[in-house]
Amino acid sequence: MSFAGVYPHYIQKAEKKGRTKEEVHEIIFWLTGYDEKNLQEILENKTNFRDFFEQAPQINPNVSMIKGVICGYRIEEIEEELMRNIRYLDKMIDELAKGKSMDKILRK
């Protein structure tokens, strides 16, 4: 599955709840170490999720602070690294849509 295929849904989910595309980008950048230029290339190339995470400059060392349930699965119990990373991103976007502050979402 391409990241570019899911990305518009992340934006739509956030904007529907009064949040912004920039906040979604901030979450993506925090989680992966990518920047705006990298993100645009990923979207243009229709990069799949595996490559999106494997090629990330640096997965944030604080991801282990992201806990809870997403899509019926407890994040901290997901063994496959790719799926866990996808669920980290899903969880953070959900938190954004639920109105959490960026400081809490970014585990500051």
Side-chain angles (χ1 to χ4, degrees):
M1 180 183 320
S2 86
F3 176 79
V6 177
Y7 170 81
H9 298 286
Y10 290 147
I11 302 299
Q12 181 182 32
K13 184 174 194 169
E15 289 179 342
K16 187 188 290 188
K17 297 293 184 167
R19 304 305 288 258
T20 66
K21 177 180 176 178
E22 290 74 21
E23 288 173 309
V24 172
H25 286 193
E26 187 175 351
I27 288 169
I28 293 168
F29 302 158
W30 178 90
L31 180 62
T32 63
Y34 286 121
D35 60 22
E36 192 68 43
K37 181 179 179 233
N38 300 136
L39 180 59
Q40 290 312 310
E41 290 172 3
I42 287 163
L43 296 173
E44 288 169 11
N45 295 334
K46 299 190 182 337
T47 302
N48 65 41
F49 268 102
R50 181 170 305 284
D51 291 342
F52 174 77
F53 282 109
E54 284 180 358
Q55 297 170 8
Q58 179 181 343
I59 299 298
N60 193 297
N62 290 331
V63 294
S64 63
M65 295 173 69
I66 303 170
K67 299 187 185 306
V69 177
I70 186 81
C71 299
Y73 295 96
R74 182 152 290 286
I75 293 174
E76 54 271 28
E77 294 175 1
I78 298 172
E79 292 185 19
E80 183 188 356
E81 184 178 10
L82 174 61
M83 187 55 63
R84 190 174 53 247
N85 285 336
I86 292 169
R87 295 304 180 201
Y88 284 146
L89 181 55
D90 291 345
K91 179 73 173 172
M92 295 175 80
I93 299 297
D94 278 358
E95 291 174 346
L96 180 69
K98 289 178 180 175
K100 274 194 169 183
S101 72
M102 286 303 289
D103 281 349
K104 286 186 179 179
I105 295 168
L106 303 179
R107 290 14 190 208
K108 291 185 177 179

